[in-house]
Amino acid sequence: MQTELSNHLGVEHAVFGFTPFPAVAAAISRAGGFGVLGAVRYTAPDDLKRDLDWIEAHVDGRPYGLDVVMPAKKVEGVTEADVEAMIPEGHRQFVRDTLAKYGVPELAEGEASGWRITGWMEQVARSQLDVAFDYPIRLLANALGSPPADVVARAHERGVLVAALAGSARHARKHREAGIDVVVAQGYEAGGHTGDIASMVLIPEIVDAVDPLPVLAAGGIGSGRQIAAALALGAQGVWLGSLWLTTAEADLHSPALTRKLLAAGSGDTVRSRALTGKPARQLRTEWTDAWDDPHGPGTLPMPLQGLLVAEAVSRIQKHEVDPLLGTPVGQIVGRMNEVRPVQAVFDDLTRGFEQALDRVNRIAGRSGQ
């Protein structure tokens, strides 16, 4: 599974694995792919430095990257407290009532919420980059479109490629104009923030829109034959996220959540604004149903929704309140039926890829050539 992009980065397989877990990112790189650590949860620079130190010590010299959540436009002088003050009391009460309905215990006294959507803030994202650029990262990806121009320039000065996710050809063209090096075409099937165009339609549209920039395919991909299809559509690799959630190296801190992921089918996700305020695919739960109920208050725009539900999500996760317990995940969850090491997942991907190529060659009458 080698392409011009994977050869440029020095990886054996054109499989880019996004994950919030350092152990998974390192394992992906060791397996011959390209591990990308998600940075949005790192609000303290020292925590990110600690985990990048760990990755450096465990990738065996293989390349890896970082994913941030950074707005293209800078907002001056806005603090988290300023944003918190914008949240209506009615929405706060709805959260309290919903948690009480399901008997969700409080956090221990003095225990802070372990889940905050603050990486979108300018100062937080820039502090992450101040740390990351001290490491030999090879790729910087941004989940909220093109990062600010000075960030793109700063990355290029260090020889770091910049990638940005796109849900439409229009978004992709804006990335190209902003000097982005790699466009990630993320289809409707993907976990987390996603648009409403399916991968089979989206990938060739974006390939044509940004040619000759390399495109990575994302959304609904979890097998070797799907990787072969993505490359046939013009992509130079795949961007996989959900698939790693049930690997042995992942650290969900929740046996109940792992069980739910393993049991879920491809129809058990929903694209909801309940988590962050933007449409994000996740497990469908009674929590998402409550927020999507037309009789409820409705969700707030990003970042208000993420700040509103941060403590609630932490309480639900800590106490494993099953009806409300969920996570961002794509429709590929239907294939995630057992806990396996990252290497075993890669073995399955490469084997399936080879079988798909053999099948196509037989159809084309090229078997044995």
Side-chain angles (χ1 to χ4, degrees), residues 40-311:
V40 70
R41 66 191 180 97
Y42 293 97
T43 56
D46 286 347
D47 291 341
L48 179 58
K49 183 179 186 304
R50 177 201 63 214
D51 284 355
L52 288 175
D53 282 339
W54 190 93
I55 289 176
E56 268 291 295
H58 291 84
V59 293
D60 296 341
R62 306 285 183 94
Y64 61 93
L66 191 76
D67 178 278
V68 297
V69 179
M70 193 174 194
K73 295 181 180 179
K74 185 174 182 178
V75 180
E76 299 281 1
V78 178
T79 67
E80 186 175 335
D82 294 331
V83 179
E84 288 267 14
M86 301 177 190
I87 298 174
E89 177 56 31
H91 282 74
R92 295 187 186 277
Q93 187 61 50
F94 180 75
V95 170
R96 290 192 288 266
D97 291 344
T98 303
L99 295 178
K101 176 181 177 181
Y102 291 92
V104 182
E106 299 275 355
L107 295 175
E109 186 175 351
E111 183 179 0
S113 167
W115 185 90
R116 302 290 283 175
I117 293 293
T118 53
W120 61 272
M121 298 181 72
E122 180 80 11
Q123 64 269 31
V124 176
R126 287 187 179 274
S127 70
Q128 294 167 349
L129 295 177
D130 289 340
V131 172
F133 283 140
D134 285 336
Y135 292 82
I137 62 170
R138 297 293 309 280
L139 180 137
L140 174 67
N142 190 44
L144 282 183
S146 304
D150 68 294
V151 171
V152 175
R154 191 177 173 192
H156 287 167
E157 288 170 1
R158 290 162 173 78
V160 177
L161 296 182
V162 180
L165 276 66
S168 72
R170 178 174 60 86
H171 293 156
R173 281 189 286 266
K174 287 184 177 180
H175 295 337
R176 182 185 59 190
E177 293 164 3
I180 298 303
D181 305 293
V182 180
V183 177
V184 181
Q186 179 168 278
Y188 171 83
E189 306 94 327
H193 296 129
T194 180
D196 52 13
I197 303 175
S199 297
M200 184 65 74
V201 174
L202 182 68
I203 295 165
E205 283 189 354
I206 288 184
V207 167
D208 291 344
V210 301
D211 183 61
L213 287 186
V215 172
L216 297 177
I221 300 172
S223 69
R225 73 184 104 166
Q226 290 170 313
I227 295 174
L231 298 189
L233 292 173
Q236 285 202 30
V238 293
W239 179 273
L240 309 182
S242 299
L243 193 64
W244 317 110
L245 290 173
T246 53
T247 56
E249 293 88 348
D251 191 9
L252 289 176
H253 297 295
S254 174
L257 181 54
T258 299
R259 287 196 300 272
K260 290 188 78 170
L261 288 169
L262 296 175
S266 57
D268 291 328
T269 68
V270 63
R271 192 165 161 266
S272 170
R273 298 178 185 267
L275 191 60
T276 69
K278 284 184 175 289
R281 186 170 297 285
Q282 55 204 279
L283 282 180
R284 181 176 181 177
T285 66
E286 293 184 32
W287 177 256
T288 62
D289 286 349
W291 282 106
D292 295 338
D293 189 333
H295 299 294
T299 56
L300 297 171
M302 187 182 198
L304 300 182
Q305 182 71 15
L307 293 171
L308 169 65
V309 305
E311 181 180 326

